[in-house]
C-alpha cells in the first residue's frame, strides 16, 4: 500500500514512502530504494519495478527520474542501470539514443564511446562504412581524395605502392 511504520509498537504511525522509494508489502517497517533501471516519481509506491526507464535512458537506485544516455552511448532496451558505449567504428551523436550509427565510408573511429567519427581518411587511404581505421590503398591503386571509400586502379603503364595518392 506504499506506507511503512518504522516503529510497529506504535499504531497509526504510518508514513508514506518517499519518491524514489517503495514499501515491500512483506516488510512494512521500512522504505527501500527503487532498484537501478527504474524510477519512482511519486510517493507511496509498493511495486519496485512499476516504472522502468525507457530505452535510451538509465538510472541508479532510488531516483525519481531516469537520465538520458550521454552522447557516445545508448540503450536499446528498457530498465537499464547503465548505458552501452558505442563500439569502435560507430558513434552516438546525441543523448538519449537507442542505437549507435556506423561511421560513414571515408571516416573511421578506433575508440569506444565516441559521439563522432572524427578520423577522415587521408589521401592514399580509404574506409568502408563502420570502419575502426583507414586502410592503405593496395598495390597498383591510389586515391588523391580525402575521405575516400574506394581506391582507383592505376592506368596501364603506371604503378603505385600501397598507400599512394597518385600513380
Amino acid at each position: 500500500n506504499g506506507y511503512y511504520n518504522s516503529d510497529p509498537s506504535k499504531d497509526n504511525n504510518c508514513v508514506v514512502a518517499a519518491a524514489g522509494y517503495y514499501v515491500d508489502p512483506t516488510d512494512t517497517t521500512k522504505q527501500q530504494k527503487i532498484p537501478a533501471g527504474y524510477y519512482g516519481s511519486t510517493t507511496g509506491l509498493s511495486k519496485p519495478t512499476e516504472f522502468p526507464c525507457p530505452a535510451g535512458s538509465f538510472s541508479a537506485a532510488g531516483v525519481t527520474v531516469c537520465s538520458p544516455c550521454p552522447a557516445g552511448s545508448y540503450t536499446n532496451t528498457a530498465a537499464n542501470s547503465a548505458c552501452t558505449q558505442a563500439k569502435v567504428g560507430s558513434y552516438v551523436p546525441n543523448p538519449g539514443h537507442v542505437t549507435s550509427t556506423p561511421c560513414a565510408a571515408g571516416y573511421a573511429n578506433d575508440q569506444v564511446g565516441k559521439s563522432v567519427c572524427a578520423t577522415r581518411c587521408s589521401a592514399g587511404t580509404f574506409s568502408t562504412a563502420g570502419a575502426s581505421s583507414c586502410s592503405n590503398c593496395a598495390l597498383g591503386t591510389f586515391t588523391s581524395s580525402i575521405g575516400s571509400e574506394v581506391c582507383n586502379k592505376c592506368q596501364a603503364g603506371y604503378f603505385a605502392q600501397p598507400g599512394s595518392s597518385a600513380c
Side-chain angles (χ1 to χ4, degrees):
N1 64 11
Y3 288 85
Y4 69 100
N5 183 352
S6 60
D7 187 358
S9 67
K10 295 180 180 177
D11 286 339
N12 298 324
N13 193 33
C14 293
V15 178
V16 67
Y21 290 80
Y22 74 101
V23 177
D24 185 333
T26 64
D27 181 5
T28 58
T29 62
K30 63 185 177 201
Q31 63 179 355
Q32 300 176 50
K33 285 183 177 181
I34 297 287
Y38 297 85
Y39 70 100
S41 61
T42 61
T43 60
L45 293 176
S46 60
K47 295 179 185 174
T49 57
E50 188 171 351
F51 300 106
C53 291
S57 67
F58 72 103
S59 77
V63 301
T64 59
V65 295
C66 300
S67 298
C69 291
S73 65
Y74 67 97
T75 61
N76 57 9
T77 59
N80 288 284
S81 60
C83 299
T84 302
Q85 290 189 323
K87 294 178 175 39
V88 296
S90 67
Y91 68 103
V92 179
N94 299 309
H97 274 247
V98 296
T99 61
S100 62
T101 303
C103 294
Y107 289 82
N109 176 20
D110 64 355
Q111 297 177 4
V112 298
K114 290 298 185 178
S115 61
V116 295
C117 294
T119 302
R120 191 170 181 193
C121 297
S122 60
T125 67
F126 73 100
S127 74
T128 57
S132 60
S133 63
C134 298
S135 301
N136 282 334
C137 290
L139 183 70
T141 65
F142 76 100
T143 181
S144 58
S145 301
I146 296 171
S148 292
E149 57 185 89
V150 294
C151 297
N152 305 305
K153 289 184 181 182
C154 292
Q155 293 179 359
Y158 291 87
F159 182 76
Q161 293 289 339
S164 293
S165 60
C167 295

